[in-house]
Amino acid sequence: AQSVTQLDSHVSVSEGTPVLLRCNYSSSYSPSLFWYVQHPNKGLQLLLKYTSAATLVKGINGFEAEFKKSETSFHLTKPSAHMSDAAEYFCVVSEEGNFNKFYFGSGTKLNVKP
Amino acid sequence: GAVVSQHPSWVICKSGTSVKIECRSLDFQATTMFWYRQFPKQSLMLMATSNEGSKATYEQGVEKDKFLINHASLTLSTLTVTSAHPEDSSFYICSARASGRTVTGELFFGEGSRLTVL
């Protein structure tokens, strides 16, 4: 069975400092992994995705994530936070070949201080 | 990227009435759409999967007669909350998977609809 654990419900960083949002998954199959961002009262926007290609994935707005099979992790990073990055971030896993099943993490709220 | 539009963004209704929420894929065809419910400060909970031209598949614990889903065309799915009660108040989000994009499994999300039942 698939599951996703986002280790931090809230992360607070200062503008210009690095961002690290942690995600661990469990999967019986080769997973596909996604990071989505949600601004208040909005839908979800895809930041990046891993689908068994390169383990280091680059996404939009300077975000990237590294798939580490040995650690079952897919942490999201950004070298320098911007005020506009303040939002809720969701790590999502789906089974290889079964994209009708998406499993959402509980979300991490990122706060960026000026 | 592809655009998914949800309407209405906000709706307030009286208890006992029914509310319809529309989800449209604007620039692509979506054979599969998903409906989620999101409680405050919580993650998304999948309610049902709708496939164009067939009955929706509901997740365990979701009342089929309460939440009617129709996916009559490749660009439109609707969620009707029947006989709404205050406990149905929530943020409802739809997503769509474009036809032919099954390899990457990319989902596109609507902006969400906030339902408040008085």
Side-chain angles (χ1 to χ4, degrees):
Chain A
Q2 276 57 242
S3 69
V4 182
T5 302
Q6 289 184 244
L7 298 162
D8 306 297
S9 58
H10 288 81
V11 169
S12 186
V13 300
S14 297
E15 191 175 20
T17 63
V19 175
L20 169 63
L21 305 183
R22 297 183 292 169
C23 173
N24 286 91
Y25 69 93
S26 67
S27 175
S28 303
Y29 307 93
S30 299
S32 290
L33 294 154
F34 308 80
W35 275 100
Y36 285 87
V37 60
Q38 184 183 30
H39 289 90
N41 293 309
K42 296 290 185 181
L44 276 67
Q45 179 186 16
L46 180 68
L47 279 178
L48 48 80
K49 59 189 177 189
Y50 166 78
T51 53
S52 71
T55 56
L56 181 61
V57 182
K58 293 187 183 299
I60 62 171
N61 301 334
F63 284 95
E64 61 182 40
E66 186 172 8
F67 173 69
K68 292 186 176 180
K69 188 174 181 179
S70 60
E71 299 177 9
T72 60
S73 69
F74 190 58
H75 300 334
L76 181 70
T77 60
K78 183 173 180 177
S80 176
H82 192 272
M83 294 298 292
S84 61
D85 295 327
E88 186 96 26
Y89 291 80
F90 292 97
C91 181
V92 181
V93 64
S94 70
E95 297 174 7
E96 182 180 7
N98 184 12
F99 290 113
N100 275 356
K101 282 292 186 183
F102 277 66
Y103 300 88
F104 286 77
S106 54
T108 299
K109 187 168 185 179
L110 176 64
N111 179 46
V112 181
K113 298 175 290 186
Chain B
V3 178
V4 174
S5 174
Q6 252 182 270
H7 178 81
S9 301
W10 299 81
V11 57
I12 300 173
C13 69
K14 292 182 179 180
S15 185
T17 61
S18 294
V19 174
K20 179 186 285 188
I21 301 171
E22 293 187 346
C23 179
R24 293 180 185 273
S25 55
L26 297 185
D27 51 1
F28 67 99
Q29 293 184 329
T31 54
T32 305
M33 290 186 172
F34 306 88
W35 286 96
Y36 305 85
R37 185 171 179 178
Q38 186 178 31
F39 292 99
K41 299 182 181 181
Q42 293 189 26
S43 188
L44 280 68
M45 180 191 78
L46 179 65
M47 297 174 66
T49 301
S50 76
N51 294 297
E52 185 267 336
S54 63
K55 290 183 179 180
T57 303
Y58 289 81
E59 295 298 301
Q60 192 173 6
V62 178
E63 299 176 58
K64 300 178 183 180
D65 296 331
K66 176 75 170 177
F67 300 99
L68 301 179
I69 292 173
N70 184 278
H71 193 159
S73 78
L74 285 172
T75 59
L76 174 64
S77 176
T78 60
L79 167 67
T80 301
V81 183
T82 62
S83 186
H85 291 282
E87 58 265 28
D88 298 324
S89 299
S90 192
F91 193 56
Y92 294 88
I93 304 176
C94 72
S95 69
R97 196 180 74 202
S99 302
R101 293 191 189 220
T102 56
V103 175
T104 61
E106 201 161 345
L107 282 182
F108 302 96
F109 286 82
E111 294 276 287
S113 301
R114 177 146 325 267
L115 170 64
T116 301
V117 185
L118 302 176

